[in-house]
Amino acid sequence: MGEDDVPHADIELDSGAEPGEFKSRLLSLLRRLLPEWADVRDIAAEPITGGITNELTLATPTAHAPGSREGDETRRRGGGEEGRVEPVVVRVFGNGTDAFLDRAAENRAVRALNARGFGATCLATFANGRVEEALTRLRPMTPAEMPTPGGAAAIAGAMA
């Protein structure tokens, strides 16, 4: 286990690997770290753009082992359907960024925010990244929504 009883694997993911190899290693890592992924046999690995110091990937299960019992998943996340293994976001820290970012402190800060109900839940960590809950049922506010009275109230309410 990692910090705060979050599963940890001392495995590095190479986000620059050939896409098929990256997907294979990603699935192997998720199956090792997350018990509910044990019967997942294939995934869709979709890059998420916009990261500054990290490579982000949305991993969505697409195939399960024949006869698997998805209803036995150990964690139900994000209000998903009972028995459904939910997608996750895999954050691979950028090469060399540990020279100016303390990733252990960052992971502690994320867990502290999670404990207070903020942010995507950190589900696991690995040598050069972490696995987080995918907030697939939410969307970011648009710039046009932010200055409206309803938008300001939503931001203030979330920050209170």
Side-chain angles (χ1 to χ4, degrees):
M1 291 283 181
E3 293 181 40
D4 300 315
D5 294 326
V6 174
H8 176 81
D10 196 23
I11 296 171
E12 287 197 15
L13 274 181
D14 179 5
S15 60
E18 183 270 323
E21 180 68 21
F22 176 76
K23 183 176 145 179
S24 175
R25 289 180 187 230
L26 174 59
L27 176 57
S28 177
L29 178 69
L30 292 172
R31 291 180 67 209
R32 178 174 177 171
L33 288 171
L34 305 175
E36 66 270 28
W37 280 68
D39 291 327
V40 174
R41 295 295 178 249
D42 197 14
I43 60 171
E46 179 183 343
I48 300 172
T49 59
I52 297 171
T53 63
N54 304 307
E55 295 285 334
L56 305 171
T57 301
L58 177 65
T60 305
T62 59
H64 295 82
S68 66
R69 295 180 52 201
E70 286 186 69
D72 287 343
E73 78 175 287
T74 58
R75 274 189 267 206
R76 184 170 167 237
R77 290 195 258 287
E81 298 171 30
E82 188 64 45
R84 181 168 176 237
V85 178
E86 294 290 323
V88 295
V89 171
V90 178
R91 177 181 300 270
V92 178
F93 301 145
N95 289 333
T97 58
D98 56 340
F100 57 90
L101 293 171
D102 182 342
R103 296 301 188 171
E106 178 183 338
N107 285 337
R108 285 191 302 275
V110 167
R111 297 290 296 148
L113 288 168
N114 289 168
R116 289 161 184 79
F118 291 99
T121 301
C122 177
L123 305 172
T125 59
F126 54 97
N128 65 330
R130 67 178 171 262
V131 180
E132 301 172 352
E133 165 189 32
L135 302 176
T136 58
R137 289 164 185 77
L138 300 176
R139 67 168 182 81
M141 294 178 76
T142 65
E145 291 172 318
M146 290 181 193
T148 65
I155 294 169
M159 298 303 292

